Amino acid sequence: MAKIRLTTAQAAIRFLKNQHVARDGREGRFFAGCFGIFGHGNVAGIGQALQENPELLYYQARNEQAMVHTAAAYAKMRNRLSTFVCTTSIGPGATNMVTAAAGATINRLPVLLLPGDIFARRNVAPVLQQLEQPYSQDLSVNDAFKPVSRYWDRINRPDQLITALPEAMRVLTSPVETGAVTLALPQDVQAEAFDYPEALFEKRTWTISRPRPDETLLKTAAQWIRASRAPLIIAGGGVIYSEATEALARFADRTGIPVAETQAGKGSLHYDNPLSLGAMGVTGTPGANITARETDLVIGIGTRYSDFTTASKTAFQNARVRFININIAGFDAHKQAALPIVADARAALEDLSETLEGHHVPAEHRARAEQFNRQWDAEVSRLYNLEHGPPISQGEVIGAVNQVSDPQDVVLCAAGSLPGDLHKLWRTQDPKGYHLEYGYSCMGYEIAGGLGVKMAAPDREVYVMVGDGSYLMMANEIVTSIQERHKLNIVLVNNHGFSSIGGLSQSVGSGGFGTRYRYRNAKTGQLDGDLLPVDLAANAKSLGAHVIQAADLPSLTAALQEARQTDVTTVIVIETDPEERVPGYESWWDVPVAEVSEMASVQKARAEYEKGRGREQHLL
Ligand SMILES: Cc1ncc(C[n+]2csc(CCOP(=O)(O)OP(=O)(O)O)c2C)c(N)n1
Ligand SMILES: [Mg+2]
């Protein structure tokens, strides 16, 4: 067998640049490039190998967590058919990725992480940034990636790569298993040479299949659907990743079954499809939540049933409710004791459509859904045009962004009060037009994630909607967006702190404690002094962004229009009223309130909480 002598790092990069993915006959490279921050743990290993292999283009980031968010967002935008490699030094550079690795794994998005690691040879230990333990030398900070990775390995000898790399690819390209994959690379091993078999570096194409449903289970599912008086589809991210949105629209239209969407599933239907009930669950619409409460049959497609979707298991109150789950992952398909259709979403919808030929739900069920759809649209219009303030309401900001953006543009968000408001209010017109990281809801994802979306879809305008709290946590990838000339439209919603957690704190009887950005007050000793003098506009400008400050709805709309004309990342700063919130509709979320307290407000909140908990169900 022909051999080629390469370092471990060179072999890894040479392998990775030759990996392709195919689905439905369309093929492309799996890795769009490699993000990295160099230190002594990777500069002479992976860094050198990247320099020698410019086909796997190197991208610089400001923060290791951010670059993994960028990779995950890119993968999400590409429906998991492509992603980035992320390389770091050892120690803090490596562990900075742990948070975003968890985010990728929770959201089922592929990212390949190559953290540098301590010397395998050990003779010079402890090296700079090494965590020592008296009980073992077979341990480093990179072991912290184990629980947040779908596949984890440490390459202690160059030849271990030969078996590790294909395993990494198998997991990354599997829609069932995908998430963060970590290959920890000791810094000495990265530079060691080995005679690798040349076959390792031949082009490989990983085919993503569309497994079809089991026939017996499909027949049972069809019987259940025929027997149901008021079925409801819950569309999750799997619908979009599988590119099943058209199949879903046809299925809904033929059968008359209404569709509610999770955060990851929003965009499965065009917002004005008459059978669209909009958002489901805690941040859902009245139509979706009332239908869910009464339904006798839930058809969950590509959803992992987070507590936001199930309203902490209070959403389904019909004593006879049953579940059919269409999911590529058996793990999710079996949730809620469902009839598990373990299959690709598109394939399953096609097969189910055929099996149900001619079936239609009772006409009044369809008519009711269509009425909910119209009523909700009127409520959205009301909240878009509240004429509050200034400071204006967050709903009005969302309305302005929605109205200025084109149908194929992308809105992106992750944490704070914006995700819930967007889930309810954003009028989605394209399956990839709504990008919420709400599996981990990680503050700091927004700008880094926006960059990933723009890299995946340079022809679309990307609207990053970010709160001041998230912005202050991680705004740094503005610099990368400017470096790479990937223009972002960043709408920075300033309400001087945490409106979301502030509201939550009020609802649990704590009055917003610790959620405002205010000076420590000499009189009270608490953080309830004057507002902090942070100049967010100046901050964004200092990073190289074009900045526009808006004060009211007309100036916000003008700023958004101006931003469309620029080709440099633009930050629009708008102040909103933190107390003018979009309400909740017909739902509940389990956030435990102190069982005992001397505070009357907490005792009252606890009594309310217990009522809510009483509605939680075991779905068996
Ligand atoms: C990394 C991280 N830390 C903490 C939280 C908990 N958390 C959720 S929302 C939020 C406040 C967000 O503030 P901001 O971005 O200003 O949005 P707002 O609540 O004002 O809408 C916090 C602290 C989180 N989701 N992520
Ligand atoms: Mg805020």
Side-chain angles (χ1 to χ4, degrees):
M1 193 189 276
K3 298 274 172 72
I4 175 166
R5 194 159 176 80
L6 297 168
T7 67
T8 304
Q10 291 160 358
I13 299 302
R14 191 182 267 243
F15 173 90
L16 296 172
K17 74 181 183 187
N18 286 311
Q19 303 308 302
H20 288 236
V21 154
R23 186 166 72 176
D24 304 328
R26 276 175 289 152
E27 194 193 296
R29 269 177 68 178
F30 189 60
F31 295 107
C34 179
F35 268 96
I37 293 181
F38 294 128
H40 62 283
N42 62 339
V43 70
I46 292 288
Q48 190 277 331
L50 285 168
Q51 197 178 16
E52 215 170 86
N53 289 278
E55 305 91 330
L56 193 77
L57 197 59
Y58 165 68
Y59 293 88
Q60 195 178 57
R62 306 314 117 183
N63 173 305
E64 293 87 354
Q65 180 185 331
M67 71 192 189
V68 181
H69 289 323
T70 302
Y74 180 94
K76 183 174 165 87
M77 191 65 194
R78 295 289 318 276
N79 288 335
R80 312 193 288 204
L81 300 174
S82 179
T83 186
F84 280 91
V85 184
C86 297
T87 169
T88 72
S89 191
I90 78 166
T95 52
N96 264 358
M97 293 199 292
V98 172
T99 295
T105 295
I106 287 168
N107 286 294
R108 319 274 168 86
L109 296 169
V111 292
L112 176 60
L113 312 181
L114 304 179
D117 212 329
I118 54 171
F119 281 52
R121 125 167 88 83
R122 295 182 180 172
N123 62 325
V124 291
V127 296
L128 179 66
Q129 302 171 330
Q130 175 167 350
L131 170 80
E132 289 181 281
Q133 288 291 2
Y135 64 82
S136 175
Q137 293 180 50
D138 185 24
L139 186 122
S140 83
V141 293
N142 286 338
D143 288 81
F145 283 96
K146 284 180 180 169
V148 297
S149 299
R150 290 282 186 210
Y151 180 84
W152 183 98
D153 214 343
R154 183 180 279 130
I155 307 301
N156 279 312
R157 296 161 45 124
D159 45 339
Q160 289 176 343
L161 261 194
I162 302 167
T163 57
L165 286 170
E167 289 305 310
M169 284 304 300
R170 174 183 63 76
V171 172
L172 286 167
T173 60
S174 158
V176 181
E177 291 190 55
T178 200
V181 166
T182 303
L183 298 181
L185 300 174
Q187 54 171 310
D188 54 340
V189 180
Q190 286 183 42
E192 266 173 45
F194 183 78
D195 292 316
Y196 286 97
E198 278 197 353
L200 183 64
F201 309 110
E202 279 164 17
K203 177 183 164 185
R204 283 189 201 202
T205 303
W206 302 79
T207 299
I208 299 183
S209 62
R210 294 192 178 275
R212 302 207 86 91
D214 173 82
E215 270 181 39
T216 312
L217 288 172
L218 189 75
K219 276 190 194 136
T220 310
Q223 278 165 11
W224 286 20
I225 293 170
R226 284 180 195 279
S228 166
R229 303 295 304 156
L232 169 69
I233 292 170
I234 297 179
V239 172
I240 292 173
Y241 300 143
S242 155
E243 296 172 11
T245 56
E246 282 170 29
L248 175 67
R250 270 196 305 276
F251 181 76
D253 185 50
R254 281 189 192 171
T255 58
I257 304 176
V259 178
E261 296 170 328
T262 71
Q263 283 279 17
K266 189 170 163 82
S268 293
L269 284 193
H270 195 287
Y271 82 95
D272 67 1
N273 183 313
L275 285 165
S276 170
L277 294 174
M280 171 69 208
V282 180
T283 52
T285 67
N289 289 335
I290 292 168
T291 308
R293 188 181 307 150
E294 296 170 2
T295 186
D296 54 354
L297 180 67
V298 176
I299 307 166
I301 313 177
T303 173
R304 47 191 283 272
Y305 287 104
S306 84
D307 64 346
F308 263 72
T309 299
T310 67
S312 301
K313 300 268 163 70
T314 64
F316 314 106
Q317 293 290 333
N318 185 327
R320 292 183 311 280
V321 67
R322 296 194 284 193
F323 291 79
I324 297 170
N325 289 343
I326 297 172
N327 208 296
I328 192 80
F331 174 66
D332 293 310
H334 281 84
K335 287 176 179 173
Q336 336 283 35
L339 183 78
I341 307 285
V342 180
D344 169 67
R346 199 175 82 186
L349 279 165
E350 286 164 2
D351 289 2
L352 205 50
S353 281
E354 206 172 292
T355 316
L356 282 167
E357 187 66 47
H359 172 70
H360 197 282
V361 297
E364 59 275 15
H365 185 50
R366 181 178 193 134
R368 191 162 179 239
E370 292 181 353
Q371 192 186 3
F372 278 137
N373 176 282
R374 286 191 298 274
Q375 284 169 345
W376 181 248
D377 206 45
E379 176 70 350
V380 172
S381 293
R382 183 183 75 81
L383 289 160
Y384 277 9
N385 300 292
L386 213 54
E387 296 183 14
H388 182 80
I392 64 174
S393 71
Q394 188 159 276
E396 290 171 281
V397 176
I398 292 171
V401 178
N402 189 277
Q403 276 152 5
V404 169
S405 58
D406 279 348
Q408 77 281 3
D409 291 345
V410 185
V411 70
L412 179 142
C413 191
S417 58
L418 277 162
D421 292 0
L422 284 164
H423 194 206
K424 284 177 261 200
L425 301 184
W426 188 259
R427 288 171 166 155
T428 318
Q429 305 183 66
D430 180 282
K432 299 307 302 181
Y434 182 86
H435 184 123
L436 247 292
E437 188 285 280
Y438 214 63
Y440 209 34
S441 187
C442 185
M443 289 170 77
Y445 177 90
E446 296 88 347
I447 294 171
L451 175 62
V453 170
K454 187 68 181 174
M455 291 175 92
D459 296 340
R460 303 185 192 223
E461 290 289 338
V462 176
Y463 289 92
V464 173
M465 297 200 66
V466 59
D468 53 323
S470 269
Y471 178 90
L472 287 173
M473 210 173 265
M474 202 153 58
N476 35 286
E477 297 315 307
I478 286 177
V479 177
T480 312
S481 82
I482 287 163
Q483 180 174 39
E484 296 293 342
R485 296 193 171 79
H486 284 304
K487 178 225 174 166
L488 302 175
N489 304 282
I490 300 170
V491 180
L492 170 45
V493 177
N494 185 12
N495 51 27
H496 305 281
F498 306 163
S499 166
S500 53
I501 308 299
L504 188 60
S505 165
Q506 287 170 21
S507 76
V508 298
S510 291
F513 175 70
T515 59
R516 291 266 152 266
Y517 287 158
R518 290 178 178 277
Y519 279 103
R520 187 165 299 285
N521 183 342
K523 285 200 197 100
T524 63
Q526 298 297 321
L527 297 175
D528 56 7
D530 289 339
L531 290 177
L532 293 179
V534 184
D535 187 341
L536 294 172
N539 179 283
K541 200 162 189 309
S542 76
L543 299 178
H546 176 56
V547 177
I548 314 171
Q549 276 184 284
D552 51 20
L553 203 50
S555 61
L556 174 63
T557 302
L560 288 162
Q561 271 149 357
E562 181 185 329
R564 287 190 80 82
Q565 308 307 319
T566 65
D567 54 10
V568 59
T569 290
T570 301
V571 178
I572 299 170
V573 187
I574 174 80
E575 185 153 337
T576 58
D577 182 348
E579 298 304 327
E580 184 54 47
R581 298 185 172 89
V582 177
Y585 300 87
E586 309 279 344
S587 197
W588 189 70
W589 187 32
D590 189 337
V591 177
V593 180
E595 201 167 351
V596 291
S597 167
E598 287 170 6
M599 293 164 65
S601 56
V602 174
Q603 292 162 4
K604 190 163 164 273
R606 175 73 195 188
E608 277 302 306
Y609 170 74
E610 281 169 12
K611 270 191 241 159
R613 266 214 67 182
R615 289 193 296 274
E616 287 181 11
Q617 294 181 313
H618 290 292
L619 299 162
L620 302 170

